[in-house]
Amino acid sequence: MTSVRPAPAPVTRKPSPPGSGSLTKTQRRLGRDWRLAALFLAPTAVLVGGLVLLPIARSVVTSTTERHGQDSVFVGLDNYLALASDEQFRTGVLNSFVFTAYAEVFKVVLGLSAALLLHHRRRGRSVLAGLLLLPWVVPTVVTAFSWRSLLDPIFGSVNMLLTQSGIGPLLVTLNLVDSWPAGWLSDPSLAMPSVILVNVWKGVPFFTVAFLAGLKAIPAEQYEAATVDGASPFQRFIHVTLPGLRHVMTVTVTLSSIWTFNNFDLIWLLTQGGPGDATAPYVLVAYTKAILQLQYGAGAAVTLVMLPVVGALVFVLVRLLRRDGDSTPRRRAGIGQAGPVRKALPWVIAAVVTGLLAWASPHIFWKAAVVLGVLLLIVAAVGWVVTALQGWGRRRASSVASGLGSALGLAGLLLFVLIPLYWIVVTAFKTEGQIVMHTRDLWPTPWTLQQFGDLFTTKPFGRWYLNTILVSAASTAVALVFAALAGYALARLRFRGAQGFTVTVLLTYVMPGALLFIPLYQLLIGARLTDSLWSLVLTYPTFTLPFATWLLTGYFSSIPVELEEAALVDGCSRIQAFGRVVLPLAKPGLLAVALFTLTNAWNEFLFAFVFITKDEYKTLPVGMQSMIIGDVVPQGQLAAASLLVSIPVVVMYAFGQRFLTEGLTAGAVKG
C-alpha cells in the first residue's frame, strides 16, 4: 500500500535544564547528554546499521561478482557494463519513468480537485473525506484484485458499462483503443495506462490529505484581499492558492515519486510485468535476475545503477524539509534578479518533461492528454458560468451553479473511488453460480456466506491471517519502542552528531525496498531464516522504524520542555521524566505511529513475497496472490478474502482517526 508518510518538524534544541551543573571535558566535546543519547539511540542505530546500511554496502560488493555454480567470482564492473546492452533493463527503466511521470500528473490534478471540493464544503466534509480515504486504507493486494476483476475483457464491469453506454465503440473510433472489447491488462498499448489508472486510484487520497492540510494553512486574509482587488475565482486560484500550496505540493510530489518509481507489488499483482515487458519496471527486472535467475550480482547492479535517480529525489526532499518556511531578507533581496528565472523554470521543466513523455510513450501521451483535456474543459466551463453569473449580478444563481458543479465533481470522485470497493463487497456474498453465470448482477440474489466457508476450508487462510497478525504486532512493537527512545533523544538531548543521525534516519526513511531485498535475502539465506516468520519480524522494521523515529522526533519537540524541567527540579532523573511526563503526553503521537506501522506491516508484499515460499508461513498479501493459478481466478474467494483483510484496517483508522490527526499535526512540517 501506498501509505502517507508526513514530514516531522525540525529538531529544536532547548536550553539546559536547571541544575545541570558544569560540564566535564568529555561532555563539552561530545555533548551534555551523550551517555543517555548513546543508550537511547543504540537499538535504532544497531537495527538501521545492521539491516539497512550494511546490506546496502554488501549490495555494492555483490554487484561486482558473478555466480558460477556455488561460488561467486569477482568481475569488477562487468555487470554494470552489461546493462548498457540489456534490452530488458532499458525497457524496465523507461517503464519506471513513464509510470511515475503520468501517475504523478494525474494524482496532483485529482488530489488538488478533491481537496478544493472538500475544503469549500461545510456539511459532511469529514464523512466525504473518510470515503475518499478508503483507497489509501485498503491493502494493495485488495486494490489489485478488485481492478483486475473490473478490467477483465469478458466479465469485467468496465467493458460492460462502456459497451452499454456506447462509449466503447467511440473509443475505437477515436483510435484510443485498437479493438472492442478492450483487453485492458492484456493489450500492450493499454496495459501501462491501466496500471497507471490503478496507481492513481490508490494514491489520490495521499495527495488529497496533504493538499487539504496546505489549504487550511493559507491565511483567509489573502483571499479577502484578492477579492477586494477584483480577482476572479480563477485568478485567486492562480495567484493565491497555487503559491500557498507550492511547498506542500513539491514535498508531496517528491515523496510520491520515490514510492511510485520503486513500485513493485501493484504492478506484479496486476500484470506481473506483462504482456511481454510492457509494464515491467526496473525493480521487477532486478527481481527476475536476482531471485528467479539467481544472478545476485546482476540484480544488485540493476538496483544500484538507479540509485542516483532516487538519490536526486532524496536530496531535493532533504533540502525542502530543512528549509525554513519563512522568507529571509537574503531571499527577498534576490527576488528582483532571480524572480523571472524562478517563474520561468517550472514552465521550462514542464515543457521538457512533456516532450520526453510524448517521445517515449506516444500511445500513452495522447490518451492522457485527452483525459486531462476533458477534465480541464469541464472545470473551465463551470468556472466560466460561475464568473459570468457573478458579473451579471446574479449571486444566488452563481452560488447554485457553483454548488451544483461541486456536487457533480464530488459525485464523480466518489464513484471513481467506491465502485471497486462495492464490487468486492457484492462479489464476496454471491454464490459460485452467480459469479460464473451472472457476473453482471449488481446485487447478490440471494446473499450467501458460501465464499467465506470455501475460503477457510480449501485454503490455509486462517493460518495466513494468524501469521500476518503475529508479524505485524511484533514489528510494530519493535518499531514503537525503538522509535520512542530515538525520537526523544533527537528531540530533547544535546549531543554531538544529532544532525547527522537525523539525516541518516531521513535517508533510510525514503530508501526503497528494491535496494534492500537482494542483500537482505542473501543475509537471511546465510542465517537460515528464509521461510520463517522471523525473517519478516527482523526486516519489517527497516521501513517502519525510520518513519516512526522521524514522526516521534517532531511530536516530542512539540511537547513543552518546561513540563519536563519541572519534573527534573522535583528530583526525577531524565529517564523518570521521560517515562512519567513525556510518554503520557505523547500518547496521540505514539498511537499514530502504531497505526501507521501496523498497517504498513499488514500490507507489505515485496519482502514477504521474496523471503517466504511455504504456504504455512505466508502472510495475507502473498497468500492471496498464490490463490491465482495461471488463468484460474477464484473471484468469490478472493473477494471474501479482500473483505476480511480490509475490515481490520478500516476499523483501526475509523477509531484512531482523532489520534492520527493530532499526531500528524504535531509532527508535520508546516509548509
Side-chain angles (χ1 to χ4, degrees), residues 161-174 176-177 180:
L161 293 174
L162 293 178
T163 300
Q164 293 180 351
S165 63
I167 297 177
L170 179 62
L171 295 177
V172 178
T173 303
L174 295 175
L176 294 177
V177 298
W180 196 260

Side-chain angles (χ1 to χ4, degrees), residues 68 278 292 358-359 370 439 455 497 502 528:
H68 293 282
L292 300 183
W359 169 79
V370 170
T439 55
L455 179 65
T502 304
R528 297 184 178 180

Side-chain angles (χ1 to χ4, degrees), residues 476-502:
T476 297
V478 171
L480 199 59
V481 173
F482 288 11
L485 296 174
Y488 176 78
L490 295 173
R492 284 286 194 263
L493 304 183
R494 300 183 65 182
F495 60 97
R496 184 179 295 274
Q499 190 65 36
F501 197 94
T502 304

